[in-house]
Amino acid sequence: GAVVSQHPSWVICKSGTSVKIECRSLDFQATTMFWYRQFPKQSLMLMATSNEGSKATYEQGVEKDKFLINHASLTLSTLTVTSAHPEDSSFYICSARVGTGSTGNTIYFGEGSWLTVV
Amino acid sequence: DAKTTQPTSMDCAEGRAANLPCNHSTISGNEYVYWYRQIHSQGPQYIIHGLKNNETNEMASLIITEDRKSSTLILPHATLRDTAVYYCIVRDLNAGNMLTFGGGTRLMVKP
C-alpha cells in the first residue's frame, strides 16, 4: 500500500510552547490529508481535513487557532499545536487519500506522533 | 456515513481463522465497507474494502451479505501479530472522504 510518514514519532514539550508535526506522502501525491487525535483507550477522532493549497476544514469543537494546519504541497501537511497544554497530550495521526472518485479511493495512515506536554 | 456495530472484543486461537462481524443495517447503495486495524501505539493499517462483492487480498477476506446489511472480515490463519483493534467503517466515496471510526473490535490472538 501507499506510504504515509509522520515526524516526529514522539515529542515532549513544555507547557506554553508550540510543536509541529509533519505528515508526508512518500510515494504518491495527496490532495487531501486528514488529522486525527486519539486519547488512551479511545477511538480516533477526526480533527480536520487538510486540502492542498486551501484552508483546512475543522471539525466541530476543534480550535483552528490552536491547531494550525498547513498543506503547502501535494506531499506534505503539517499540524502545529500552539501554546500547548498538558490536556493536549495525545496520539496525533495523519492520513492521506490515494486516488480519486469512487474507485481506487483508499486512505492510508501515518505511524502517529505521541505528544506529551509537561 | 452509516453507523456500524461491532463486538467489543473477541478471542481467537493462533493458527485458526478469525471471523470478525460487523453490522451496518442502514448502509446505502453508494457506501463501501472498509476495514482497518490498529496495533497498539501505531497508526491504523488498511486491510480491505468492498462494495457488494466478496473481496480477498493477501491479508484477509471480506464477505458482504447479499442485502449488504452486514459483513465479516476473515483472517484465515491468525497469528499473534494480528492482535489489534479492528475497525469496520462504512464510507460514501461520493459524499466525503473522511473515515469515521467507531469503537472497533479488540481481537486477542492467543497461543
Side-chain angles (χ1 to χ4, degrees):
Chain A
V3 179
V4 178
S5 179
Q6 279 184 244
H7 178 81
S9 300
W10 59 270
V11 58
I12 301 173
C13 72
K14 291 184 177 180
S15 185
T17 62
S18 296
V19 175
K20 179 185 286 186
I21 301 171
E22 295 185 345
C23 177
R24 295 181 184 274
S25 56
L26 297 186
D27 51 358
F28 66 99
Q29 293 183 330
T31 55
T32 304
M33 290 183 173
F34 307 91
W35 286 95
Y36 290 81
R37 180 168 54 182
Q38 186 176 32
F39 293 107
K41 299 188 183 300
Q42 295 186 21
S43 189
L44 285 79
M45 296 297 296
L46 180 67
M47 298 175 67
T49 300
S50 168
N51 296 297
E52 187 268 336
S54 64
K55 292 183 178 180
T57 303
Y58 290 81
E59 295 298 303
Q60 189 173 8
V62 178
E63 300 175 57
K64 63 180 181 180
D65 294 330
K66 180 170 182 60
F67 298 99
L68 300 179
I69 292 173
N70 185 290
H71 193 161
S73 77
L74 288 172
T75 60
L76 174 65
S77 176
T78 61
L79 168 69
T80 301
V81 182
T82 63
S83 187
H85 290 286
E87 56 265 31
D88 298 323
S89 299
S90 186
F91 190 47
Y92 291 87
I93 311 166
C94 75
S95 63
R97 179 172 62 93
V98 178
T100 58
S102 60
T103 59
N105 189 333
T106 299
I107 294 177
Y108 293 91
F109 288 80
E111 314 95 321
S113 299
W114 285 100
L115 170 63
T116 300
V117 184
V118 297
Chain B
D1 290 344
K3 184 177 179 179
T4 62
T5 304
Q6 298 177 253
T8 303
S9 63
M10 290 181 64
D11 290 344
C12 177
E14 187 179 19
R16 306 296 294 269
N19 298 288
L20 293 93
C22 179
N23 286 323
H24 30 79
S25 58
T26 59
I27 193 171
S28 67
N30 294 327
E31 291 178 316
Y32 285 69
V33 179
Y34 277 76
W35 282 85
Y36 285 79
R37 72 180 182 184
Q38 186 178 25
I39 296 170
H40 183 61
S41 298
Q42 298 182 23
Q45 177 187 22
Y46 166 78
I47 301 174
I48 199 167
H49 75 280
L51 182 61
K52 53 184 177 181
N53 296 323
N54 297 337
E55 302 287 344
T56 296
N57 62 21
E58 65 278 4
M59 289 183 67
S61 294
L62 174 61
I63 308 299
I64 302 174
T65 58
E66 193 169 341
D67 63 7
R68 302 210 321 123
K69 293 185 177 182
S70 66
S71 61
T72 301
L73 178 74
I74 301 173
L75 307 179
H77 304 287
T79 69
L80 299 179
R81 287 178 292 182
D82 292 322
T83 293
V85 178
Y86 287 77
Y87 295 98
C88 168
I89 301 168
V90 171
R91 178 174 170 231
D92 185 342
L93 299 183
N94 295 318
N97 294 305
M98 73 287 291
L99 293 169
T100 302
F101 286 79
T105 296
R106 186 173 298 276
L107 175 69
M108 179 73 72
V109 180
K110 297 184 175 180

